[in-house]
């Protein structure tokens, strides 16, 4: 798999080399650039705008649920970090350690946050006294840091961006219910904003977040048949509360530990967007988060001032969208191809001839088709096209998901399906060690639990009684 | 000076201990909390909301000037960082160094960015080819890290947030003009959004940013007579371009180095807001960036359902503002005092009696006065009050600035004025060493140049011919 972003604008064919196709898209659409630090990338203007739009969508859903944004320090005292054993084991090899300021050695190293449970716990302990203080629902949009062995832009980078939602409750039922509610937010966001069909469910014990009692996930299937985890919500129980001493006085005046959850969506979702929708001509983006939604291309505007005047008029009519006018001196072919590579959903092409007939040509990025529309009612036309566009993106991704989903009952069937890049539904009764063995043998991992099995069905791998139906796939 | 945020809500009197007053406000208004890392603070919900509103205001001004947001890595390779000598000397003692990932020692330490000139230079080099690529105007909203010896919330913290604008040009004149244009943005923002009167000008050589040819600043004077730098814009010339090899081909097809600038406003401006406007009753905030702008306090709503209905109606009428309804079971006195401490500009108090007369009482935070207004036309009333409120905040701060500004011509006068906590205008002909001596002697530093002197006037400190009139003050 190629680890480098291509520096020319040529897009590799998906069918030839999916991995190089992915990085060639990132380069051609000017999304990211590598820096000279291993796994470090620059989020260029177009992708940072996209991430800002994602932030806005998720953030307004959080605010609706009473979540407040905060900002917590990036550095964690080493001794504090080391307190929760399971958590430490999950992150220890990946953490960056600060040992010096200037030339002076620090008394104690500082951990650069790979996630912020520890710092939130410290904060929660300080502000929690009684059940009247609860629930507390805080979120931060921030950068986190992990030393990854193999890196790929957006999917695995040394530094990445995410939101970390951390909340504490006086009642366990409320904490669990909120954990699931946040997963529903992610599900809604993936479906209705990103046009990505996702599967939602509980993780198997081997795939849980380090320190969590339960991890819930939404999983998407990329065009190459590999799964990508798009968002997770963790019920942490009282594990961290006990370690970091977060207590409250309940209504009966007794001391109790708080019930805690955390959840996050990260910039790796940008990878999911690219690999769900894009094609051999370049980037294809969901309309709602496209940095430029509509591109107006002027045809020979130098010969007819009416062309630019009408472009401005259309821009004004469509001012609830992000509309860009391309009146550069570049050729028409170049402009269309640039809009295509960049994933601008619609290009409106206007020239003298069309205007004389009160028409424009609209190019649709998803279908790569052009059609003529009346200038009158352009606003309603675009609205209709946007709905069709979003539905089409979702449908294509859903077709891929359906086509690739298969139910199996033996290991041989499993191996064949994995080699055909399928999403597998299979009865599972194994434990964490069996999950590891299966991964070594096939490269596939459990993505999430589909449902519990009460009937007498055998696990395809261990032949023990199966506990649940599980989705398996190779995953990013 | 107290280094701790008080944990009770008592506000210290400004006249008794300005420094403790400052930290007591931060605690009582629930803005920040210390963590157990030296100089680390948590930005609590109210202050993070305030910072988000500041971001929005500055960001929209930048977008208007063609600036794009990006996100660059936090880690810098040590050898890259060390390349620009003057820059390194300015930051070396303050930088945090990462030496390990997990248990493995890194081949080369990583510098945690104290500022991002080096990373932007690397980026600019990669994307700049010809004059057609220029200008490039990029900004990032991010966190930066400096190991400070003495720390105070917002003013000096180990980690802080800011925007870093970095831009490159093919023409020197354009680069300098843009440097000044950004300073004008900051000036406008401080004046019209924060209601803080600021002085703007060029820094003396000793106060320039490490590696800059010129630094321009806006400076505000706090209620205790100490100055606070609120925003800086640096013309970097070709210093970094030469070190980091950022070249372009000009229209004559020759290779040239780019002309560069950078500029920033940081979370320390929150300190300026607090120390410019607040009083002995708590926080006072500029209306535009107040997290809650209007508070509706219901009086005995349990006895009259009309009260809550009208509160909702008012909230709807005023929906272009951030309006909070306080219908908790707390006492009226508690509610008013909480709104006061928190710096909510207006509280609208509604009860049955007032409603019967179609009236409400409005409490104004800046004047601490209550007055009765007709419910009819509440929207226009509030608009008028907001204008008065903003003008009053600005006027009070301006009065402080005027009252404290003094022109002197001898060292004795200078010393007296500094002891009286004044902002001093004085003729200056000294060099960097003289600036240091003056600081050792009086604690005061040059804040910025007021104007050049062409007449034969003597420097108050060196008796040499003065070059310019300079503003001096003790500074945060």
């Amino acid at each position: 798999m190629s680890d480098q972003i291509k520096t020319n604008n040529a897009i590799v064919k998906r069918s030839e080399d999916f991995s190089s196709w992915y990085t060639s898209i990132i380069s051609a659409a000017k999304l990211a650039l590598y820096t000279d630090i291993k796994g470090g990338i620059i989020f260029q203007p177009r992708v940072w705008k996209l991430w800002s739009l994602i932030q806005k969508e998720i953030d307004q859903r959080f605010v609706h649920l009473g979540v407040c944004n905060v900002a917590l320090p990036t550095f964690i005292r080493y001794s504090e970090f080391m307190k929760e054993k399971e958590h430490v084991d999950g992150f220890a090899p990946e953490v960056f350690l600060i040992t010096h300021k200037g030339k002076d050695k620090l008394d104690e190293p500082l951990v650069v946050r790979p996630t912020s449970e520890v710092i939130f716990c410290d904060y929660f302990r300080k502000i929690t006294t009684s059940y009247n203080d609860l629930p507390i629902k805080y979120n931060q949009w921030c950068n986190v840091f992990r030393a990854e062995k193999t890196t790929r832009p957006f999917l695995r980078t040394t530094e990445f961006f995410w939101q970390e939602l951390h909340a504490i409750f006086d009642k366990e039922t409320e904490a669990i219910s909120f954990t699931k509610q946040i997963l529903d937010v992610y599900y809604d966001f993936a479906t209705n904003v990103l046009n990505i069909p996702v599967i939602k469910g509980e993780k198997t014990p081997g795939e849980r977040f380090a320190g969590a009692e339960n991890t819930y996930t939404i999983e998407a299937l990329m065009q190459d048949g590999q799964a990508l985890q798009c968002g997770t919500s963790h019920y942490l129980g009282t594990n961290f509360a006990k370690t970091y001493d977060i207590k409250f006085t309940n209504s009966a005046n007794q001391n109790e530990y708080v019930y805690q959850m955390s959840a996050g969506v990260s910039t790796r979702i940008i990878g999911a967007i690219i690999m769900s929708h894009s094609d051999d001509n370049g980037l294809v983006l969901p309309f709602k988060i496209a940095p430029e939604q509509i591109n107006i291309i002027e045809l020979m505007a130098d010969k007819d001032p009416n062309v630019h005047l009408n472009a401005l008029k259309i821009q004004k009519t469509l001012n609830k969208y992000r509309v860009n006018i391309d009146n550069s001196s570049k050729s028409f072919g170049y402009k269309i191809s640039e809009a295509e590579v960049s994933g601008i959903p619609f290009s409106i092409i206007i020239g003298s001839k069309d205007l004389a007939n009160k028409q424009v040509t609209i190019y649709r990025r998803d279908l790569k088709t052009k059609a003529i529309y009346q200038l009158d009612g352009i606003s309603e036309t675009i609205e209709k096209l946007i709905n069709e566009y979003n539905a089409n993106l979702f449908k294509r991704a859903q077709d891929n998901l359906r086509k690739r989903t298969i139910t199996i009952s033996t290991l041989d069937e499993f191996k064949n399906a994995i080699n055909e890049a399928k999403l597998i539904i299979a009865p599972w009764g194994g434990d964490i060690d069996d999950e590891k063995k299966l991964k070594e043998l096939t490269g596939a991992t459990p993505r999430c639990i589909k449902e519990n099995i009460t009937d007498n069905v055998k696990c395809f791998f261990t032949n023990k009684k199966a506990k649940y139906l599980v989705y398996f796939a190779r995953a990013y």
Side-chain angles (χ1 to χ4, degrees), chain A:
Chain A
M1 293 209 300
S2 161
D3 191 23
Q4 282 300 315
I5 299 175
K6 294 270 180 297
T7 48
N8 65 50
N9 283 355
I11 293 170
V12 175
K13 281 202 165 56
R14 274 170 298 183
S15 56
E16 282 173 11
D17 181 348
F18 193 83
S19 173
S20 298
W21 167 78
Y22 176 71
T23 46
S24 71
I25 294 255
I26 289 169
S27 165
K30 293 186 180 152
L31 302 183
L33 267 187
Y34 273 106
T35 64
D36 58 3
I37 288 176
K38 185 179 156 46
I41 61 167
I42 290 166
F43 288 75
Q44 297 213 86
R46 300 194 68 235
V47 92
W48 195 248
K49 177 78 186 175
L50 183 135
W51 179 242
S52 304
L53 292 162
I54 289 176
Q55 284 189 45
K56 212 171 152 187
E57 288 283 347
I58 295 181
D59 212 65
Q60 69 195 23
R61 285 165 171 80
F62 283 171
V63 169
H64 198 70
L65 295 175
V67 177
C68 296
N69 284 324
V70 293
L72 269 61
T74 305
F75 299 160
I76 309 169
R77 277 180 52 203
Y78 185 74
S79 57
E80 279 297 304
F81 185 77
M82 295 303 285
K83 274 184 182 170
E84 217 280 330
K85 199 191 162 314
E86 207 179 332
H87 192 60
V88 171
D89 290 347
F91 286 102
E94 293 178 6
V95 298
F96 288 99
L97 293 181
I98 295 172
T99 54
H100 289 74
K101 53 179 175 185
K103 281 179 179 151
D104 303 331
K105 195 162 189 259
L106 299 174
D107 296 337
E108 183 188 356
L110 297 170
V111 171
V112 187
R113 65 175 168 220
T115 172
S116 306
E117 270 67 21
V118 175
I119 330 175
F120 268 100
C121 285
D122 181 47
Y123 184 21
F124 287 149
R125 184 183 57 249
K126 285 177 179 156
I127 59 174
T128 308
T129 314
S130 108
Y131 69 100
N132 284 317
D133 303 325
L134 300 173
I136 295 174
K137 302 169 184 173
Y138 286 167
N139 178 60
Q140 68 175 354
W141 291 95
C142 67
N143 46 355
V144 287
F145 304 83
R146 296 177 192 173
E148 302 279 1
K149 272 193 197 124
T150 50
T151 61
R152 282 171 68 67
F154 307 125
L155 300 182
R156 242 169 244 285
T157 49
T158 299
E159 176 174 2
F160 58 93
F161 297 87
W162 73 357
Q163 54 72 213
E164 290 189 78
L165 172 63
H166 296 258
I168 52 174
F169 298 81
D170 57 336
K171 293 192 188 65
E172 174 162 37
T173 48
E174 278 180 25
I176 293 173
S177 137
F178 191 70
T179 310
K180 290 177 182 170
Q181 208 172 358
I182 294 302
L183 194 76
D184 287 340
V185 165
Y186 294 160
Y187 183 84
D188 165 63
F189 164 73
T191 309
N192 297 315
V193 176
L194 305 185
N195 313 131
I196 299 178
V198 288
I199 290 160
K200 82 179 170 175
E202 201 174 304
K203 286 274 186 196
T204 57
E207 295 281 322
R208 265 180 213 150
F209 174 71
E213 300 247 315
N214 247 320
T215 290
Y216 301 88
T217 181
I218 54 167
E219 302 274 331
L221 199 68
M222 304 298 97
Q223 292 182 61
D224 67 344
Q226 289 208 67
L228 189 88
Q229 181 177 299
C230 291
T232 46
S233 189
H234 316 286
Y235 175 58
L236 305 175
T238 55
N239 293 344
F240 286 87
K242 281 174 182 160
T243 307
Y244 294 95
D245 200 35
I246 319 172
K247 284 181 193 161
F248 69 97
T249 316
N250 64 21
S251 55
N253 215 23
Q254 291 160 327
N255 267 333
E256 266 192 70
Y257 289 110
V258 298
Y259 300 94
Q260 196 167 356
M261 64 76 69
S262 72
V265 160
S266 81
T267 38
R268 91 188 310 238
I269 207 154
I270 297 166
I273 296 167
I274 298 170
M275 289 192 284
S276 291
H277 300 309
S278 301
D279 61 24
D280 288 350
N281 291 43
L283 196 61
V284 175
L285 289 175
F287 187 81
K288 280 194 189 157
I289 49 130
E292 311 91 7
Q293 295 176 311
I294 298 167
N295 194 33
I296 303 179
I297 301 181
E298 299 179 357
L299 276 185
M300 294 191 284
D302 48 336
K303 289 184 183 151
D304 179 0
N306 242 333
V307 171
H308 186 56
L309 287 176
N310 274 280
L312 289 172
K313 214 187 271 179
I314 295 174
Q315 190 182 37
K316 207 176 163 189
T317 308
L318 303 177
N319 69 359
K320 67 171 167 166
Y321 307 113
R322 293 179 286 280
V323 182
N324 172 52
I325 296 183
D326 187 346
N327 54 5
S328 67
S329 59
K330 292 163 192 161
S331 74
F332 174 71
Y334 185 93
K335 286 180 184 183
I336 270 288
S337 138
E338 200 179 31
E340 191 171 71
V341 165
S342 311
I344 305 178
F346 298 98
S347 291
I348 302 178
I349 303 152
I350 63 168
S352 297
K353 237 203 232 160
D354 272 343
L355 280 179
N357 296 321
K358 297 186 177 172
Q359 294 174 339
V360 291
T361 303
I362 299 182
Y363 170 81
R364 226 178 108 165
R365 177 61 188 91
D366 58 334
L367 302 177
K368 300 192 286 279
T369 52
K370 277 184 214 162
I372 289 169
Y373 296 89
Q374 294 303 307
L375 201 48
D376 256 18
I378 185 89
S379 193
E380 291 73 21
T381 303
I382 281 286
E383 202 166 321
K384 192 174 141 276
L385 288 174
I386 292 167
N387 288 335
E388 286 175 22
Y389 177 95
N390 286 336
N392 183 45
L393 254 54
F394 188 80
K395 191 188 165 297
R396 292 200 307 201
Q398 203 173 31
D399 286 348
N400 178 56
L401 179 63
R402 276 207 200 111
K403 203 181 62 193
R404 289 186 182 274
T405 305
I406 187 170
T407 303
I408 64 94
S409 54
T410 70
L411 182 55
D412 277 346
E413 286 173 354
F414 189 96
K415 284 179 183 167
N416 286 338
I418 279 298
N419 287 336
E420 286 165 8
K422 302 276 188 185
L423 176 72
I424 300 169
I425 300 171
W428 182 251
D431 55 23
I432 296 183
D433 283 342
D434 293 321
E435 289 186 15
K436 278 186 199 151
K437 278 182 213 155
L438 181 68
K439 187 175 181 184
E440 275 164 28
L441 199 65
T442 64
T445 48
R447 304 317 306 153
C448 66
I449 295 169
K450 186 176 187 295
E451 58 195 57
N452 292 324
I453 298 179
T454 47
D455 296 351
N456 208 356
V457 178
K458 275 187 181 167
C459 168
F460 80 94
F461 191 64
T462 63
N463 278 324
K464 291 190 279 194
K465 186 184 174 307
K467 291 179 197 157
Y468 19 64
L469 277 181
V470 171
Y471 284 103
F472 291 89
R474 285 199 181 122
Y476 281 98

